[in-house]
Amino acid sequence: MNTPLKHIAFIMDGNGRWAKQRGLGRTEGHTAGAQRVSDVLTRVFDHWHIPFVTLYAFSTENWKRPAYEIKAIFNLLTCYLKNNIDSFVENKIRLRVIGNLDALSKPLRTNLEMAMQQTATFDTRTLTLAINYGAREEVLQAIKSLSADELKDLQWDQLAARFYTANMPDPDLIVRTSGEQRLSNFLLLQSAYSELYFTETFWPDFDGHALDLAIESYLKRKRRFGGV
Ligand code: IPE
Ligand code: IPE
Ligand code: MG
């Protein structure tokens, strides 16, 4: 039997290509992608009973995109939060955010902070949104936060405690949609022993069945963590 799945993380990729295939604009791909999230979360939490889910929503490199697209993504995030905060509370889902929030608009930051506060005491289900997240930036801010004394004798756990993901288990399984087989600056150190699963399915088409295939693949794998 494999290590139980405590933390599943998704690199939600392929919204743009999904839209292009249908003759739609990239923004419509993001809208369709955002609509998939609730179903996936319900299946992860209620059917598979996985306590930690992380969604890569916006990377530190995604600022290279056209302004209209960035705006659309952040509008979707704002709407998603507004529409779902009641359901997080009702379903006792704790919301966390990883990433550098300084660059976000004040209203979005306020909404995120309020949602995190309102759900902070829930401890059985955690949804983490990676927004303006980049693993390299995470490592740098962690190191810069340490004093010279702390640095001298630094242990791994002490550094990891300064990451955005402090007190979160490392992801057991990272799923990336759309056929790309890379991590794109996502949880680079936390994924040291993660299982990786890549599917050709574009994120807006990623449904319960596609999720089940990913988890079933994970359950068949043998994790050794360097042992035999
Ligand atoms: C993922 O879909 C969403 C974000 C990166 C915010 P993409 O927008 O990257 O879609 P493709 O890769 O261009 O198809
Ligand atoms: C990774 O997807 C970031 C998110 C899914 C938020 P990208 O589409 O930005 O990654 P690359 O550029 O193809 O590596
Ligand atoms: Mg992409």
Side-chain angles (χ1 to χ4, degrees), residues 13-180:
D13 199 12
N15 294 348
R17 279 162 286 165
W18 179 92
K20 193 168 183 208
Q21 254 185 4
R22 286 161 178 74
L24 303 170
R26 296 183 58 82
T27 304
E28 289 160 286
H30 295 309
T31 305
Q35 284 165 355
R36 290 278 8 116
V37 170
S38 294
D39 272 6
V40 170
L41 288 183
T42 304
R43 192 138 185 99
V44 164
F45 286 133
D46 296 345
H47 179 81
W48 288 104
H49 304 289
I50 299 169
F52 290 87
V53 188
T54 298
L55 303 175
Y56 201 7
F58 195 87
S59 76
T60 47
E61 287 72 35
N62 286 148
W63 297 107
K64 294 177 189 163
R65 296 188 179 207
Y68 81 88
E69 182 175 345
I70 296 174
K71 198 165 169 225
I73 293 171
F74 281 107
N75 279 342
L76 279 166
L77 267 166
T78 307
C79 285
Y80 176 78
L81 267 181
K82 270 204 197 116
N83 295 338
N84 286 280
I85 179 66
D86 289 347
S87 120
F88 296 154
V89 172
E90 195 179 312
N91 293 295
K92 297 190 164 32
I93 295 171
R94 177 176 176 190
L95 181 79
R96 279 185 69 167
V97 181
I98 56 174
N100 182 354
L101 300 190
D102 294 343
L104 307 191
S105 75
K106 187 90 176 66
L108 177 57
R109 244 178 26 222
T110 309
N111 277 342
L112 284 167
E113 276 154 13
M114 266 166 35
M116 286 192 278
Q117 238 173 37
Q118 277 184 57
T119 61
T121 56
F122 302 137
D123 56 3
T124 55
R125 298 164 157 197
T126 301
L127 165 64
T128 302
L129 300 178
I131 304 176
N132 192 22
Y133 174 88
R136 290 179 174 175
E137 196 264 354
E138 177 177 46
V139 172
L140 283 177
Q141 65 79 34
I143 293 172
K144 287 179 186 165
S145 76
L146 294 161
S147 67
D149 255 10
E150 286 171 316
L151 267 172
K152 228 188 296 164
D153 211 11
L154 188 65
Q155 305 293 306
W156 169 253
D157 288 349
Q158 294 167 321
L159 182 63
R162 303 295 179 109
F163 290 168
Y164 297 125
T165 52
N167 301 316
M168 205 185 286
D170 287 341
D172 298 297
L173 174 62
I174 297 179
V175 174
R176 183 171 189 150
T177 56
S178 87
E180 307 301 352

Side-chain angles (χ1 to χ4, degrees), residues 8-15 17 54-59 62 130 133 173-188 191 196-199 201-203 206:
I8 187 167
F10 295 93
I11 302 175
M12 307 183 288
D13 199 12
N15 294 348
R17 279 162 286 165
T54 298
L55 303 175
Y56 201 7
F58 195 87
S59 76
N62 286 148
Y133 174 88
L173 174 62
I174 297 179
V175 174
R176 183 171 189 150
T177 56
S178 87
E180 307 301 352
Q181 304 196 2
R182 55 178 170 263
L183 291 173
S184 303
N185 208 10
F186 186 50
L187 301 176
L188 296 186
S191 65
L196 307 179
Y197 179 88
F198 301 106
T199 170
T201 305
F202 293 138
W203 178 257
F206 192 83

